[in-house]
Amino acid sequence: MKKTFVLLSFLEIFVSIGWTQPQITVDVSNPGTGISPTMYGVFFEDINFGADGGLYAELVKNRSFEFDHPLRGWKKIAREGAKGDVLIYRDKEKPENARFARIRVDQEGKGFGLSNEGFRGMGLRQGLGYVFSVEGRIAAGKRLLLKVELVGSDGRTLAEAKIGGFTDQWKTRTCIMLAGKTVAKAHLDLTVEGTGALDLDMVSLFPKNTWKNHKNGLRQDLVQMLADMKPGFLRFPGGCIVEGFDLSQCYQWKNTIGEPNQRVININRWNFEFKHRPTPDYYQSYGLGYYEYFLLDEDLGAEPMPIINCGMACQFNTAELVPMNQLDPYVQDALDLIEFANGPADSQWGKVRADMGHPEPFNMKMIGIGNEQWGPQYIERYKVFAKAIKARHPEMQLIAATGSDATIFPNGHAEIEYLWSFWRKLKPEIVDEHFYRKPEWFLENVDWYDEYDRQGPKLFVGEYASQSVGVGSPDNRNNLKCALYEAAFMTGMERNADLVRMTCYAPLFGHEEAWQWRPDLIWFDNLNVYGSANYYVQKLFSLNPGTHQLTARVEGVPHLDGKKKALNVSSTLDKKTSEVILKAVNVANEVVEAAINLQGVEKVGPDAIVILLSSEKLTDENSLAEPKNIYPNKTIETINNAQFSYAFQPCSLTVLRIPIQ
Ligand code: AHR
């Protein structure tokens, strides 16, 4: 069939004359390599208030007064007739968490104390319980009480409690508070009843219903978004925060375990990274630390993929290096981490894990040596880590980096080629590549992995996102165009699933009022969460991976222009359910009708599952107000012949699951 096809794409008009109907031939009789069960995963970094103020359910900011300004996030309360002072002390005997606040009340009046603003307020839900806890000690006076109030932005008290029982020794006191109303921006008021001085530290407020009700747990609704994706792995804790602005700020996992009050807080490098998005109240409490990450992996059924510092600070910042003769503690940290995750409960670090509540090992199988590292300094450090880890743990899969996105290097791809020349020889099991580019790049490069060397290491596309404005910018949007062009690229990764064994989008979370970087997969505020269009693309791939590759030959596909194909497809077989899965991304503003042939299949259907993700315009987005503007629609359609025609909707990702015999 010949017809004239006119495609209107966003802001562009491309005309392709005289194309034939696209033919998609799926060779079902020769399934290829197994798709890795860890093909689709997630990458978590504490950026955009992803951990503190986000996933980590703690509602009190700067709970232990350890921020650079000890009272950041706090303010003094001196109600009518009250007199006193708030003093900050540094206690040499508590090295990890040295500071505490002393509230001295000279005249009680209507209340003297401190108020905490939370992370852009505190989100509370009516009828839900909140666990307040505080470490307290009486420094002067007797029988002092602490009045605890949850207060809405209108000044009304939503819950109130009084805590006593303080002595001259540090003691943790706790109470449960029931929120009387749902509010997004509450705050916490603490006032002292009686005159004297009360010392306070580790002031905390947690929702009772954390994810799986874990103590020191995570926000249920945010984890649910991850659980819904059924991720194959979780890459954590970064990202650039692993490297730190300089080495004094790099991520040290041992500071993130044990009781929360023993974790050593650290400035978050995204606090000051972008001059246009300063976030001076952004610190890492490490309440969400390595133990919690491993627990989250277990809950999600995802393989843990920690990324460790390899003796290099962020090369976009100070690029500080640990001298080679001082690398041992860093290497030892990596070995100890493996023991913490996998060692028996009576080993040194296995015991720490067991004491935290998890005697069974976490069964970690892979570890990333460095995040976005490059240059000869990386290679020489990588070799030391690889040698030490492999000597002790030959089973551990090593992930090596390829620097950052090639477009940020002055000499483009050469920097990355330099690293690859070593990876071919050193043979880490997995090499990690990152892409942050304009949407068009993703569409033009769906065949990026077609010609890669099959003899070398396997590939991990560990960070990628299409940037609507083409560069790192606060103007980037999570729109349908970006999502679909990524989906097209993902069909390319899936077609090369023998080589590309793992992929994940970056970054994962963005707080609507406290982000530094966009686009992000999942957006939230203090009460709500929604998935971007990109989230639903990731989810559809992740929930429909299939078990084995199938070759899908596509002919007669119209091009928008140059290399940009209007229709991109990949196909897999799900041997467990006996279904052919076909993913098709139509980026044109027109229906593209394709003739599909499932070659080698005798019996088909009749009830195929069709999941469609589409919207009217490529500029469409989801938002807090319209969280499901772009949302997968699942239907059952009759397909009962191995040869059939299918009309792929304009601007859409379609997943067909076709039963076969
Ligand atoms: O995803 C945000 C940042 O982008 C990561 O921290 C870093 O690895 C990359 O440059």
Side-chain angles (χ1 to χ4, degrees):
M1 182 180 67
K2 289 253 179 197
K3 69 177 173 184
T4 301
F5 193 82
V6 182
L7 298 166
L8 302 174
S9 85
F10 176 56
L11 289 181
E12 301 159 307
I13 301 175
F14 303 104
V15 182
S16 158
I17 298 174
W19 60 284
T20 51
Q21 182 185 26
Q23 310 277 327
I24 303 172
T25 309
V26 183
D27 183 359
V28 188
S29 49
N30 287 306
T33 315
I35 306 284
S36 160
T38 55
M39 179 73 178
Y40 299 107
V42 289
F43 164 47
F44 180 83
E45 173 170 20
D46 190 3
I47 184 171
N48 304 318
F49 273 31
D52 289 292
L55 199 55
Y56 184 49
E58 174 64 86
L59 294 169
V60 177
K61 185 171 68 185
N62 192 13
R63 62 186 173 188
S64 58
F65 308 99
E66 304 294 329
F67 285 18
D68 55 349
H69 296 292
L71 287 180
R72 197 181 279 287
W74 294 94
K75 66 177 187 246
K76 272 184 221 170
I77 301 173
R79 295 187 187 138
E80 200 186 319
K83 277 195 191 143
D85 206 355
V86 175
L87 305 162
I88 298 296
Y89 280 75
R90 174 177 284 275
D91 184 346
K92 274 207 314 249
E93 285 163 17
K94 302 198 309 158
E96 305 93 356
N97 167 22
R99 290 193 193 139
F100 63 87
R102 174 162 297 171
I103 302 179
R104 205 192 66 223
V105 184
D106 305 327
Q107 199 174 295
E108 194 182 318
K110 292 203 168 155
F112 187 87
L114 277 173
S115 175
N116 188 277
E117 66 188 19
F119 298 90
R120 309 293 183 271
M122 297 174 180
L124 302 179
R125 283 184 198 283
Q126 185 169 18
L128 281 192
Y130 292 84
V131 184
F132 172 83
S133 67
V134 64
E135 290 176 13
R137 173 177 77 173
I138 293 181
K142 287 206 177 103
R143 286 188 289 280
L144 300 182
L145 293 180
L146 185 68
K147 186 169 171 193
V148 185
E149 290 167 282
L150 301 179
V151 185
S153 48
D154 58 1
R156 290 209 197 144
T157 301
L158 309 166
E160 188 181 316
K162 277 184 195 165
I163 297 187
F166 296 108
T167 66
D168 60 356
Q169 299 298 312
W170 283 108
K171 224 186 244 180
T172 302
R173 313 297 295 157
T174 304
C175 69
I176 308 273
M177 310 189 67
L178 215 60
K181 203 174 155 196
T182 297
V183 290
K185 288 185 179 289
H187 57 270
L188 170 74
D189 284 356
L190 304 174
T191 46
V192 176
E193 291 191 359
T195 51
L198 188 64
D199 293 342
L200 300 181
D201 203 354
M202 289 301 288
V203 183
S204 168
L205 185 73
F206 261 88
K208 261 192 94 182
N209 63 338
T210 55
W211 169 257
K212 291 201 183 272
N213 295 323
H214 290 312
K215 212 174 147 227
N216 189 45
L218 307 180
R219 211 174 116 171
Q220 223 175 36
D221 56 343
L222 300 194
V223 183
Q224 191 60 54
M225 293 293 283
L226 304 184
D228 290 348
M229 296 173 80
K230 294 198 181 12
F233 63 88
L234 173 72
R235 179 177 186 250
F236 67 92
C240 294
I241 64 161
V242 169
E243 302 150 357
F245 174 80
D246 61 24
L247 285 164
S248 75
Q249 295 173 5
C250 78
Y251 198 101
Q252 298 180 50
W253 74 269
K254 287 175 184 165
N255 287 342
T256 77
I257 56 167
E259 286 301 319
N261 66 357
Q262 283 160 17
R263 304 186 187 183
V264 186
I265 83 156
N266 193 1
I267 192 163
N268 189 308
R269 57 156 290 146
W270 302 108
N271 175 312
F272 52 84
E273 180 72 16
F274 297 129
K275 301 283 168 284
H276 54 279
R277 298 287 302 176
T279 322
D281 57 344
Y282 202 4
Y283 284 74
Q284 301 174 81
S285 72
Y286 292 135
L288 166 52
Y290 257 70
Y291 180 79
E292 289 76 18
Y293 281 119
F294 282 125
L295 216 52
L296 176 62
D297 286 314
E298 192 169 80
D299 289 346
L300 296 174
E303 295 291 342
M305 186 199 286
I307 307 297
I308 52 161
N309 187 297
C310 62
M312 304 176 80
C314 179
Q315 290 171 268
F316 298 113
N317 294 132
T318 60
E320 281 180 357
L321 294 168
V322 175
M324 291 302 287
N325 63 2
Q326 292 168 31
L327 207 53
D328 280 0
Y330 288 77
V331 177
Q332 192 57 47
D333 270 1
L335 296 173
D336 293 344
L337 174 62
I338 298 172
E339 188 173 286
F340 177 72
N342 295 351
D346 58 0
S347 60
Q348 185 193 350
W349 289 99
K351 180 167 181 333
V352 177
R353 181 196 69 234
D355 290 348
M356 288 184 76
H358 204 286
E360 310 78 27
F362 282 118
N363 201 14
M364 154 185 160
K365 302 188 184 84
M366 50 194 160
I367 187 166
I369 316 292
N371 171 46
E372 289 188 336
Q373 263 56 73
W374 64 85
Q377 298 76 20
Y378 177 41
I379 297 293
E380 60 180 345
R381 280 163 185 74
Y382 172 86
K383 283 181 184 164
V384 176
F385 276 83
K387 191 167 168 209
I389 294 174
K390 284 291 183 184
R392 220 45 104 78
H393 303 282
E395 74 291 352
M396 194 56 59
Q397 298 181 44
L398 303 185
I399 303 175
T402 50
S404 188
D405 186 300
T407 53
I408 60 117
F409 292 120
N411 52 357
H413 208 72
E415 204 66 69
I416 290 176
E417 227 351 275
Y418 170 82
L419 292 174
W420 265 110
S421 69
F422 285 94
W423 301 147
R424 282 185 207 105
K425 285 183 283 197
L426 297 173
K427 297 199 189 317
E429 281 77 10
I430 306 158
V431 172
D432 178 6
E433 299 197 323
H434 295 180
F435 302 101
Y436 290 102
R437 305 212 176 163
K438 61 181 180 182
E440 287 72 16
W441 183 88
F442 286 91
L443 190 56
E444 282 164 0
N445 288 282
V446 287
D447 55 359
W448 185 259
Y449 288 109
D450 289 6
E451 303 302 327
Y452 261 58
D453 174 15
R454 260 47 192 179
Q455 309 312 316
K458 299 293 181 201
L459 260 296
F460 167 40
V461 186
E463 291 185 32
Y464 67 96
S466 84
Q467 299 166 317
S468 62
V469 300
V471 287
S473 157
D475 298 329
N476 280 314
R477 307 300 307 180
N478 281 101
N479 61 30
L480 182 67
K481 177 177 175 179
C482 292
L484 287 183
Y485 287 21
E486 284 156 11
F489 189 71
M490 290 173 82
T491 63
M493 294 200 269
E494 200 167 84
R495 279 192 296 97
N496 288 284
D498 57 312
L499 177 73
V500 181
R501 304 299 281 169
M502 294 183 288
T503 83
C504 52
Y505 183 96
L508 191 55
F509 286 112
H511 189 298
E512 286 271 334
E513 293 175 46
W515 56 271
Q516 297 79 43
W517 177 298
R518 60 192 312 159
D520 304 300
L521 204 61
I522 298 167
W523 287 89
F524 64 95
D525 65 10
N526 288 348
L527 289 176
N528 309 289
V529 59
Y530 72 90
S532 62
N534 317 64
Y535 169 82
Y536 289 108
V537 164
Q538 293 292 323
K539 187 172 163 185
L540 285 180
F541 274 77
S542 186
L543 296 186
N544 298 283
T547 56
H548 291 78
Q549 276 179 301
L550 293 177
T551 308
R553 210 174 60 247
V554 188
E555 290 155 310
V557 167
H559 280 61
L560 297 186
D561 70 347
K563 279 180 74 190
K564 294 192 203 92
K565 278 191 266 169
L567 190 68
N568 291 280
V569 304
S570 60
S571 184
T572 58
L573 178 67
D574 193 328
K575 282 199 181 172
K576 288 184 281 189
T577 59
S578 287
E579 289 170 297
V580 169
I581 301 173
L582 184 71
K583 301 187 184 83
V585 184
N586 176 12
V587 294
N589 270 358
E590 302 283 335
V591 169
V592 172
E593 182 144 2
I596 300 171
N597 182 4
L598 305 183
Q599 217 168 45
V601 177
E602 280 176 17
K603 224 169 155 214
V604 168
D607 292 334
I609 297 170
V610 180
I611 310 163
L612 178 68
L613 186 74
S614 70
S615 193
E616 279 171 24
K617 298 189 302 306
L618 288 169
T619 48
D620 286 350
E621 296 178 14
N622 287 343
S623 64
L624 278 176
E626 288 186 285
K628 293 188 174 170
N629 191 26
I630 303 167
Y631 192 73
N633 180 33
K634 188 170 164 183
T635 51
I636 305 289
E637 292 181 24
T638 302
I639 297 178
N640 51 15
N641 197 311
Q643 279 120 46
F644 61 99
S645 180
Y646 201 87
F648 293 105
Q649 295 307 299
C651 307
S652 68
L653 161 63
T654 306
V655 180
L656 299 175
R657 294 191 71 113
I658 309 161
I660 55 156
Q661 276 175 29

